[in-house]
Coordinates of all heavy atoms in Angstrom, one line a residue:
M1 N -46.2 -14.3 -10.7 CA -46.5 -13.6 -12.1 C -45.7 -14.5 -13.1 O -44.6 -14.1 -13.5 CB -46.1 -12.2 -12.1 CG -47.0 -11.4 -11.2 SD -46.7 -9.6 -11.3 CE -47.4 -9.1 -9.8
A2 N -46.2 -15.6 -13.4 CA -45.6 -16.5 -14.4 C -45.3 -15.9 -15.7 O -46.3 -15.3 -16.2 CB -46.3 -17.9 -14.3
G3 N -44.0 -16.0 -16.2 CA -43.8 -15.6 -17.5 C -43.6 -14.1 -17.7 O -43.2 -13.7 -18.8
R4 N -43.7 -13.2 -16.7 CA -43.5 -11.9 -16.7 C -42.5 -11.4 -15.6 O -42.8 -11.8 -14.5 CB -44.8 -10.9 -16.6 CG -45.5 -11.4 -17.9 CD -46.8 -10.4 -17.8 NE -47.8 -10.9 -18.8 CZ -47.9 -10.4 -20.0 NH1 -47.1 -9.6 -20.5 NH2 -48.9 -10.8 -20.8
A5 N -41.7 -10.5 -15.9 CA -40.9 -9.9 -14.9 C -41.4 -8.6 -14.7 O -41.7 -7.7 -15.5 CB -39.4 -9.7 -15.3
V6 N -41.7 -8.2 -13.4 CA -42.4 -7.0 -13.0 C -41.5 -6.5 -11.9 O -41.2 -6.9 -10.8 CB -43.8 -7.2 -12.4 CG1 -44.4 -6.0 -11.8 CG2 -44.6 -8.0 -13.4
E7 N -41.0 -5.2 -12.3 CA -40.1 -4.4 -11.3 C -41.0 -3.3 -10.8 O -41.6 -2.6 -11.6 CB -38.9 -3.9 -11.9 CG -38.0 -3.2 -10.9 CD -36.6 -2.7 -11.5 OE1 -36.6 -2.5 -12.6 OE2 -35.7 -2.9 -10.8
I8 N -41.1 -3.0 -9.5 CA -41.8 -2.0 -8.7 C -40.8 -1.1 -8.1 O -39.9 -1.4 -7.3 CB -42.7 -2.6 -7.7 CG1 -43.7 -3.6 -8.2 CG2 -43.5 -1.4 -7.0 CD1 -44.6 -3.3 -9.3
E9 N -41.0 0.2 -8.6 CA -40.1 1.2 -8.0 C -40.7 1.7 -6.6 O -41.8 2.1 -6.6 CB -39.8 2.4 -8.9 CG -39.0 3.6 -8.3 CD -38.7 4.7 -9.3 OE1 -38.8 4.4 -10.6 OE2 -38.8 5.9 -9.0
C10 N -39.9 1.7 -5.7 CA -40.3 2.0 -4.2 C -39.4 3.1 -3.7 O -38.2 3.0 -3.8 CB -40.2 0.8 -3.3 SG -41.1 -0.7 -4.0
D11 N -40.0 4.0 -2.9 CA -39.2 5.1 -2.2 C -39.6 5.0 -0.7 O -39.1 5.9 0.0 CB -39.5 6.4 -3.0 CG -40.8 7.0 -3.0 OD1 -41.7 6.3 -2.4 OD2 -40.9 7.9 -3.7
R12 N -40.5 4.1 -0.4 CA -40.8 3.9 1.1 C -41.0 2.5 1.3 O -41.3 1.7 0.5 CB -42.1 4.7 1.4 CG -42.2 6.1 1.2 CD -43.4 6.8 1.7 NE -44.7 6.2 1.2 CZ -45.3 6.4 0.0 NH1 -44.6 7.2 -0.8 NH2 -46.4 5.6 -0.4
I13 N -40.6 2.1 2.6 CA -40.6 0.7 3.0 C -42.0 0.2 2.8 O -42.0 -1.1 2.6 CB -40.0 0.4 4.4 CG1 -39.7 -1.0 4.6 CG2 -40.9 1.1 5.4 CD1 -38.8 -1.3 5.9
G14 N -43.0 0.8 3.1 CA -44.4 0.3 2.9 C -44.7 -0.3 1.5 O -45.3 -1.1 1.3
Q15 N -44.1 0.6 0.5 CA -44.3 0.1 -0.8 C -43.5 -1.2 -1.0 O -44.0 -2.0 -2.1 CB -43.7 1.2 -1.7 CG -44.5 2.5 -1.6 CD -43.8 3.7 -2.4 OE1 -42.6 3.8 -2.5 NE2 -44.7 4.5 -3.1
V16 N -42.4 -1.4 -0.5 CA -41.6 -2.6 -0.8 C -42.3 -3.8 -0.2 O -42.5 -4.9 -0.9 CB -40.1 -2.6 0.1 CG1 -39.5 -3.8 0.0 CG2 -39.5 -1.4 -0.6
E17 N -43.0 -3.7 1.0 CA -43.8 -4.7 1.5 C -45.0 -5.1 0.5 O -45.3 -6.2 0.2 CB -44.4 -4.4 2.9 CG -45.1 -5.5 3.5 CD -45.6 -5.3 4.9 OE1 -45.3 -4.2 5.4 OE2 -46.3 -6.0 5.5
E18 N -45.6 -3.9 0.1 CA -46.8 -4.3 -0.9 C -46.3 -4.8 -2.2 O -47.1 -5.7 -2.7 CB -47.4 -2.9 -1.0 CG -48.7 -2.9 -1.7 CD -49.4 -1.6 -1.8 OE1 -48.9 -0.7 -1.2 OE2 -50.3 -1.4 -2.6
A19 N -45.3 -4.4 -2.7 CA -44.6 -5.1 -4.1 C -44.4 -6.5 -3.7 O -44.7 -7.4 -4.6 CB -43.4 -4.3 -4.4
C20 N -43.8 -7.0 -2.6 CA -43.4 -8.4 -2.3 C -44.7 -9.1 -2.2 O -44.8 -10.3 -2.8 CB -42.5 -8.4 -1.1 SG -40.8 -7.7 -1.3
R21 N -45.7 -8.7 -1.6 CA -46.8 -9.4 -1.2 C -47.6 -9.6 -2.5 O -48.3 -10.5 -2.8 CB -47.8 -8.8 -0.2 CG -47.1 -8.7 1.0 CD -48.0 -8.4 2.3 NE -47.4 -8.2 3.6 CZ -47.1 -9.3 4.3 NH1 -47.3 -10.4 3.9 NH2 -46.5 -9.1 5.5
A22 N -47.4 -8.7 -3.5 CA -48.1 -8.7 -4.6 C -47.4 -9.6 -5.8 O -48.0 -9.9 -6.8 CB -48.3 -7.3 -5.4
G23 N -46.2 -10.1 -5.4 CA -45.4 -11.0 -6.3 C -44.5 -10.4 -7.2 O -44.2 -10.9 -8.2
A24 N -43.9 -9.1 -6.9 CA -43.1 -8.5 -7.8 C -41.8 -9.4 -8.1 O -41.3 -9.9 -7.1 CB -42.7 -7.2 -7.3
S25 N -41.2 -9.3 -9.3 CA -40.0 -10.0 -9.6 C -38.8 -9.3 -9.0 O -37.9 -9.9 -8.6 CB -39.8 -10.1 -11.1 OG -41.0 -10.5 -11.8
S26 N -38.9 -7.9 -8.9 CA -37.9 -7.2 -8.5 C -38.4 -5.7 -7.8 O -39.5 -5.4 -8.3 CB -36.7 -6.9 -9.3 OG -37.2 -6.2 -10.5
V27 N -37.7 -5.3 -6.9 CA -38.1 -3.9 -6.3 C -36.8 -3.1 -6.5 O -35.7 -3.5 -6.3 CB -38.4 -4.1 -4.8 CG1 -39.7 -4.8 -4.6 CG2 -37.2 -4.7 -4.0
L28 N -37.0 -1.9 -6.9 CA -36.0 -0.8 -7.1 C -36.2 0.2 -5.9 O -37.2 0.8 -5.8 CB -36.3 -0.1 -8.4 CG -35.3 1.1 -8.6 CD1 -34.5 0.8 -9.9 CD2 -36.0 2.3 -8.9
L29 N -35.1 0.1 -5.1 CA -35.1 1.1 -3.9 C -34.6 2.4 -4.4 O -33.4 2.5 -4.7 CB -34.4 0.5 -2.8 CG -34.7 -1.0 -2.4 CD1 -33.8 -1.5 -1.3 CD2 -36.3 -1.1 -2.1
D30 N -35.4 3.4 -4.6 CA -35.1 4.7 -5.1 C -34.9 5.7 -4.0 O -35.7 5.9 -3.1 CB -36.2 5.2 -6.0 CG -35.8 6.4 -6.9 OD1 -34.6 6.5 -7.2 OD2 -36.6 7.2 -7.2
N31 N -33.8 6.4 -4.1 CA -33.5 7.6 -3.1 C -33.5 7.2 -1.7 O -34.2 8.0 -0.8 CB -34.3 8.7 -3.5 CG -34.1 9.4 -4.8 OD1 -32.9 9.6 -5.1 ND2 -35.1 9.6 -5.5
M32 N -33.1 6.0 -1.3 CA -33.0 5.7 0.2 C -31.7 5.7 0.8 O -30.7 5.4 0.0 CB -33.6 4.2 0.3 CG -35.1 4.0 -0.1 SD -35.7 2.4 0.3 CE -37.3 2.5 -0.3
S33 N -31.7 5.9 2.1 CA -30.4 6.0 2.7 C -30.0 4.4 2.9 O -30.7 3.6 2.7 CB -30.6 6.6 4.1 OG -31.4 5.7 4.9
I34 N -28.7 4.3 3.3 CA -28.2 3.0 3.7 C -29.0 2.3 4.6 O -29.3 1.0 4.6 CB -26.7 3.0 4.0 CG1 -25.8 3.5 3.0 CG2 -26.2 1.7 4.4 CD1 -25.8 2.9 1.6
E35 N -29.5 2.9 5.7 CA -30.3 2.3 6.7 C -31.6 1.9 6.1 O -32.1 0.8 6.5 CB -30.4 3.3 7.9 CG -29.2 3.6 8.6 CD -28.2 4.6 8.0 OE1 -28.7 5.3 7.0 OE2 -27.1 4.7 8.3
E36 N -32.2 2.7 5.4 CA -33.4 2.3 4.7 C -33.4 1.1 3.8 O -34.1 0.2 3.8 CB -34.0 3.5 3.9 CG -34.6 4.6 4.9 CD -34.9 5.9 4.1 OE1 -34.1 6.3 3.2 OE2 -35.9 6.4 4.3
V37 N -32.2 1.1 3.1 CA -32.0 -0.1 2.2 C -31.8 -1.4 3.1 O -32.2 -2.4 2.6 CB -30.7 0.1 1.3 CG1 -30.2 -1.1 0.6 CG2 -30.9 1.3 0.3
S38 N -31.0 -1.2 4.1 CA -30.8 -2.4 5.0 C -32.2 -2.9 5.5 O -32.5 -4.1 5.5 CB -29.8 -1.9 6.1 OG -29.8 -3.1 6.9
A39 N -33.0 -2.0 5.9 CA -34.3 -2.4 6.5 C -35.2 -3.0 5.3 O -35.9 -4.0 5.6 CB -35.1 -1.3 7.0
C40 N -35.1 -2.5 4.1 CA -35.9 -3.1 3.0 C -35.4 -4.5 2.6 O -36.1 -5.4 2.4 CB -35.8 -2.1 1.9 SG -36.8 -0.7 2.0
V41 N -34.0 -4.7 2.7 CA -33.4 -5.9 2.4 C -33.9 -7.0 3.4 O -34.3 -8.1 3.1 CB -31.9 -5.9 2.4 CG1 -31.3 -7.2 2.4 CG2 -31.5 -5.1 1.1
E42 N -33.9 -6.6 4.7 CA -34.4 -7.5 5.8 C -35.9 -7.9 5.5 O -36.3 -9.0 5.7 CB -34.3 -6.8 7.1 CG -32.9 -6.6 7.5 CD -32.1 -7.9 8.0 OE1 -32.7 -8.8 8.4 OE2 -30.9 -7.9 7.6
L43 N -36.7 -6.8 5.2 CA -38.1 -7.1 4.9 C -38.2 -8.1 3.7 O -39.0 -9.0 3.8 CB -38.8 -5.7 4.6 CG -40.3 -5.9 4.2 CD1 -41.1 -6.4 5.4 CD2 -40.8 -4.5 3.8
V44 N -37.7 -7.9 2.6 CA -37.7 -8.8 1.5 C -37.2 -10.2 1.9 O -37.9 -11.1 1.4 CB -36.9 -8.2 0.3 CG1 -36.8 -9.2 -0.9 CG2 -37.5 -6.7 -0.2
G45 N -36.2 -10.2 2.5 CA -35.7 -11.7 3.0 C -36.7 -12.3 3.8 O -36.9 -13.6 3.7
G46 N -37.5 -11.6 4.6 CA -38.5 -12.1 5.5 C -39.8 -12.6 4.7 O -40.4 -13.6 4.8
L47 N -40.1 -11.7 3.7 CA -41.3 -12.0 3.0 C -41.1 -13.0 1.8 O -42.0 -13.7 1.4 CB -41.8 -10.6 2.3 CG -42.3 -9.7 3.3 CD1 -42.8 -8.3 2.8 CD2 -43.6 -10.2 4.1
R48 N -39.9 -13.0 1.2 CA -39.6 -13.9 0.0 C -38.3 -14.5 0.3 O -37.2 -14.3 -0.5 CB -39.4 -12.9 -1.2 CG -40.6 -12.1 -1.6 CD -41.9 -12.8 -1.9 NE -41.8 -13.5 -3.2 CZ -42.1 -13.1 -4.4 NH1 -42.5 -11.8 -4.5 NH2 -42.2 -13.7 -5.4
P49 N -38.1 -15.3 1.3 CA -36.9 -16.1 1.7 C -36.3 -16.9 0.7 O -35.2 -17.3 0.7 CB -37.3 -16.9 3.0 CG -38.9 -17.1 2.8 CD -39.3 -15.9 2.1
D50 N -37.1 -17.3 -0.4 CA -36.7 -18.1 -1.5 C -35.7 -17.2 -2.5 O -35.1 -17.7 -3.6 CB -37.6 -18.8 -2.2 CG -38.6 -17.8 -2.9 OD1 -38.6 -16.5 -2.7 OD2 -39.5 -18.3 -3.8
G51 N -35.6 -15.9 -2.3 CA -34.8 -15.2 -3.2 C -35.3 -14.8 -4.4 O -34.6 -14.4 -5.4
S52 N -36.7 -15.0 -4.5 CA -37.4 -14.8 -5.8 C -37.6 -13.4 -6.2 O -37.9 -13.0 -7.3 CB -38.7 -15.4 -5.8 OG -39.5 -14.9 -4.8
T53 N -37.3 -12.4 -5.3 CA -37.5 -10.9 -5.6 C -36.1 -10.4 -5.6 O -35.3 -10.3 -4.5 CB -38.4 -10.4 -4.5 OG1 -39.6 -10.9 -4.5 CG2 -38.4 -8.8 -4.8
L54 N -35.6 -9.8 -6.8 CA -34.3 -9.1 -6.8 C -34.5 -7.7 -6.3 O -35.6 -7.1 -6.2 CB -33.9 -9.0 -8.3 CG -33.5 -10.2 -9.1 CD1 -33.3 -9.8 -10.5 CD2 -32.3 -10.8 -8.4
I55 N -33.4 -7.2 -5.7 CA -33.4 -5.8 -5.0 C -32.4 -5.0 -5.7 O -31.2 -5.3 -5.9 CB -33.0 -5.9 -3.5 CG1 -34.0 -6.9 -2.8 CG2 -32.9 -4.5 -3.0 CD1 -33.6 -7.2 -1.4
E56 N -32.9 -3.9 -6.4 CA -32.0 -3.1 -7.1 C -32.0 -1.7 -6.3 O -33.0 -1.1 -5.9 CB -32.6 -2.8 -8.5 CG -31.9 -1.9 -9.4 CD -32.4 -1.7 -10.8 OE1 -33.3 -2.5 -11.0 OE2 -31.8 -0.8 -11.5
V57 N -31.0 -1.1 -6.3 CA -30.7 0.3 -5.5 C -30.4 1.3 -6.6 O -29.7 1.1 -7.4 CB -29.6 0.1 -4.4 CG1 -29.4 1.6 -3.9 CG2 -29.9 -0.9 -3.4
S58 N -31.1 2.4 -6.4 CA -30.9 3.6 -7.4 C -31.1 4.8 -6.8 O -31.4 4.9 -5.7 CB -32.0 3.4 -8.6 OG -31.9 4.2 -9.5
G59 N -31.0 6.0 -7.6 CA -31.3 7.3 -7.1 C -30.2 7.8 -6.2 O -29.1 7.7 -6.5
G60 N -30.7 8.4 -5.2 CA -29.8 9.2 -4.3 C -29.0 8.4 -3.3 O -28.5 9.0 -2.4
S61 N -29.1 7.1 -3.4 CA -28.2 6.2 -2.5 C -26.7 6.7 -2.5 O -26.3 6.9 -3.7 CB -28.5 4.9 -2.8 OG -29.8 4.4 -2.8
P62 N -26.2 6.9 -1.5 CA -24.7 7.3 -1.4 C -23.8 6.2 -2.1 O -23.6 5.2 -1.4 CB -24.5 7.5 0.1 CG -25.7 7.5 0.7 CD -26.7 6.8 -0.1
R63 N -23.4 6.5 -3.3 CA -22.8 5.5 -4.1 C -21.5 5.1 -3.4 O -21.0 3.9 -3.4 CB -22.4 6.0 -5.4 CG -23.6 6.2 -6.4 CD -23.3 6.3 -7.8 NE -22.3 7.4 -8.0 CZ -22.7 8.7 -8.2 NH1 -23.9 9.0 -8.1 NH2 -21.8 9.6 -8.3
R64 N -20.7 5.8 -2.8 CA -19.4 5.6 -2.1 C -19.7 4.6 -0.9 O -18.8 3.8 -0.6 CB -18.8 6.9 -1.7 CG -18.2 7.6 -2.9 CD -17.4 8.9 -2.3 NE -17.3 9.8 -3.4 CZ -18.1 10.8 -3.5 NH1 -19.1 11.0 -2.8 NH2 -17.8 11.7 -4.6
A65 N -20.8 4.8 -0.3 CA -21.0 3.8 0.9 C -21.5 2.4 0.5 O -21.3 1.5 1.3 CB -22.1 4.6 1.8
L66 N -22.2 2.4 -0.5 CA -22.7 1.0 -1.0 C -21.7 -0.1 -1.0 O -21.9 -1.1 -0.5 CB -23.5 1.2 -2.3 CG -24.8 2.0 -2.2 CD1 -25.3 2.2 -3.6 CD2 -25.7 1.4 -1.2
P67 N -20.6 0.1 -1.7 CA -19.6 -1.0 -1.7 C -19.0 -1.4 -0.4 O -18.3 -2.5 -0.2 CB -18.6 -0.5 -2.7 CG -19.2 0.5 -3.4 CD -20.2 1.2 -2.5
N68 N -19.1 -0.5 0.7 CA -18.5 -0.7 1.9 C -19.3 -1.4 2.9 O -18.9 -1.6 3.9 CB -18.0 0.7 2.4 CG -17.0 1.3 1.7 OD1 -16.1 0.6 1.0 ND2 -17.1 2.5 1.5
T69 N -20.4 -1.8 2.5 CA -21.3 -2.6 3.2 C -20.7 -4.0 3.6 O -20.0 -4.5 2.8 CB -22.8 -2.8 2.7 OG1 -22.6 -3.5 1.5 CG2 -23.5 -1.5 2.5
R70 N -21.0 -4.5 4.8 CA -20.3 -5.7 5.2 C -20.7 -7.0 4.5 O -20.0 -7.9 4.5 CB -20.6 -6.0 6.7 CG -19.7 -5.2 7.6 CD -20.1 -5.6 9.0 NE -20.3 -4.3 9.7 CZ -21.4 -4.2 10.4 NH1 -22.2 -5.0 10.6 NH2 -21.6 -3.0 10.9
R71 N -21.9 -7.0 4.0 CA -22.3 -8.1 3.2 C -23.1 -7.7 2.0 O -23.7 -6.7 2.0 CB -23.2 -9.1 4.0 CG -24.5 -8.4 4.5 CD -25.3 -9.3 5.6 NE -26.1 -8.6 6.2 CZ -27.4 -8.2 5.8 NH1 -27.9 -8.6 4.7 NH2 -28.2 -7.4 6.6
P72 N -23.3 -8.5 1.0 CA -24.1 -8.2 -0.2 C -25.4 -7.9 0.3 O -26.0 -8.9 0.8 CB -23.9 -9.3 -1.2 CG -22.8 -10.2 -0.7 CD -22.7 -9.9 0.8
M73 N -26.0 -6.8 0.1 CA -27.4 -6.5 0.7 C -28.4 -6.6 -0.5 O -29.6 -6.8 -0.4 CB -27.3 -5.2 1.2 CG -26.6 -5.0 2.5 SD -26.4 -3.3 3.0 CE -28.1 -2.8 3.2
F74 N -27.9 -6.3 -1.9 CA -28.8 -6.1 -2.8 C -28.2 -6.8 -4.0 O -27.1 -7.2 -4.0 CB -29.2 -4.7 -3.2 CG -27.9 -3.9 -3.0 CD1 -27.1 -3.8 -4.0 CD2 -27.7 -3.2 -1.7 CE1 -25.9 -3.0 -3.9 CE2 -26.5 -2.4 -1.7 CZ -25.6 -2.3 -2.7
D75 N -29.0 -7.1 -5.1 CA -28.5 -7.6 -6.4 C -28.0 -6.7 -7.4 O -27.1 -7.0 -8.1 CB -29.7 -8.4 -6.9 CG -30.3 -9.4 -5.9 OD1 -29.6 -10.3 -5.5 OD2 -31.4 -9.2 -5.5
L76 N -28.6 -5.5 -7.6 CA -28.2 -4.6 -8.6 C -28.1 -3.1 -8.1 O -28.8 -2.8 -7.1 CB -29.3 -4.6 -9.6 CG -29.7 -5.9 -10.3 CD1 -31.0 -6.0 -11.0 CD2 -28.6 -6.5 -11.1
I77 N -27.3 -2.4 -8.8 CA -27.1 -1.0 -8.5 C -27.3 -0.2 -9.9 O -26.7 -0.6 -10.9 CB -25.7 -0.7 -8.0 CG1 -25.5 -1.4 -6.7 CG2 -25.5 0.9 -7.8 CD1 -24.0 -1.2 -6.2
S78 N -28.2 0.8 -9.8 CA -28.3 1.7 -11.1 C -27.6 3.0 -10.6 O -28.1 3.6 -9.7 CB -29.8 1.8 -11.4 OG -30.5 0.6 -11.8
V79 N -26.8 3.4 -11.6 CA -26.1 4.8 -11.4 C -26.4 5.5 -12.7 O -25.7 5.3 -13.6 CB -24.7 4.5 -11.1 CG1 -23.9 5.9 -10.9 CG2 -24.4 3.7 -9.9
G80 N -27.2 6.6 -12.6 CA -27.5 7.5 -13.7 C -26.3 8.2 -14.2 O -26.2 8.6 -15.2
A81 N -25.4 8.5 -13.2 CA -24.2 9.4 -13.5 C -23.3 8.7 -14.5 O -22.6 9.4 -15.1 CB -23.3 9.5 -12.2
L82 N -23.5 7.4 -14.8 CA -22.7 6.8 -15.8 C -23.0 7.3 -17.2 O -22.2 7.3 -18.1 CB -22.9 5.3 -15.8 CG -22.4 4.5 -14.6 CD1 -22.7 3.1 -14.6 CD2 -20.9 4.8 -14.5
T83 N -24.3 7.6 -17.4 CA -24.8 8.1 -18.7 C -25.0 9.7 -18.8 O -25.4 10.1 -19.8 CB -26.1 7.4 -19.0 OG1 -27.2 7.7 -18.0 CG2 -25.8 6.0 -19.2
T84 N -24.8 10.3 -17.8 CA -24.8 11.8 -17.7 C -23.6 12.5 -18.0 O -22.7 12.3 -17.2 CB -25.6 12.3 -16.3 OG1 -26.7 11.5 -16.0 CG2 -25.8 13.7 -16.4
A85 N -23.6 13.2 -19.1 CA -22.3 13.9 -19.5 C -22.4 15.3 -19.2 O -23.5 15.9 -19.3 CB -22.0 13.6 -20.9
P86 N -21.3 16.0 -18.8 CA -21.3 17.5 -18.8 C -21.7 18.1 -20.0 O -21.4 17.6 -21.2 CB -19.9 17.8 -18.3 CG -19.0 16.5 -18.3 CD -20.0 15.3 -18.7
V87 N -22.4 19.0 -19.9 CA -22.9 19.8 -21.0 C -21.9 20.9 -21.7 O -21.3 21.6 -20.8 CB -24.2 20.5 -20.8 CG1 -24.7 21.3 -22.0 CG2 -25.3 19.5 -20.3
L88 N -21.6 20.8 -22.8 CA -20.8 21.8 -23.5 C -21.7 22.7 -24.4 O -22.3 22.2 -25.2 CB -19.6 21.2 -24.2 CG -18.8 22.1 -25.0 CD1 -18.0 23.0 -24.2 CD2 -17.8 21.3 -25.8
D89 N -21.8 24.0 -24.0 CA -22.8 24.8 -24.8 C -22.0 25.5 -25.8 O -21.2 26.4 -25.4 CB -23.6 25.7 -23.8 CG -24.6 26.5 -24.5 OD1 -25.0 26.2 -25.7 OD2 -25.2 27.3 -23.8
I90 N -22.1 25.2 -27.1 CA -21.3 26.0 -28.1 C -22.4 26.8 -29.0 O -23.3 26.1 -29.4 CB -20.7 25.0 -28.9 CG1 -19.6 24.3 -28.1 CG2 -19.9 25.7 -30.1 CD1 -18.9 23.1 -28.9
G91 N -22.1 28.0 -29.1 CA -23.1 28.8 -30.0 C -22.3 29.4 -31.2 O -21.1 29.5 -31.2
L92 N -23.1 29.4 -32.4 CA -22.5 29.8 -33.6 C -23.3 30.9 -34.0 O -24.4 30.9 -34.3 CB -22.5 28.9 -34.6 CG -22.0 29.2 -36.0 CD1 -20.6 29.7 -35.9 CD2 -22.2 28.0 -37.0
D93 N -22.9 32.3 -33.9 CA -23.5 33.4 -34.4 C -23.1 33.9 -35.8 O -21.8 34.1 -35.9 CB -23.3 34.5 -33.3 CG -23.9 34.2 -31.9 OD1 -24.9 33.5 -31.8 OD2 -23.3 34.6 -30.9
L94 N -24.0 34.1 -36.6 CA -23.5 34.5 -38.0 C -24.0 36.0 -38.2 O -24.9 36.5 -37.7 CB -24.2 33.7 -39.0 CG -23.9 32.3 -39.0 CD1 -24.5 31.5 -40.1 CD2 -22.3 32.2 -39.3

């Protein structure tokens, strides 16, 4: 897909394969376990060995476990908790 970056959000390994075969610039692995992320990384590496598809991890992936992986498995991490603030509910009754 020359000239355009296309990111496909995937929550199943079959979607990752389909996205790579379609030429996605990047895949977003959403709500996957570390084991599923690892399997998807292996799949992307096999289908796109030139590294032309970025891998982003997001959603419910256990954040504490991600940095402890033995090798860099993916390119990007998205963490919604960085922008989610606790709510302070203040009411003013007159």
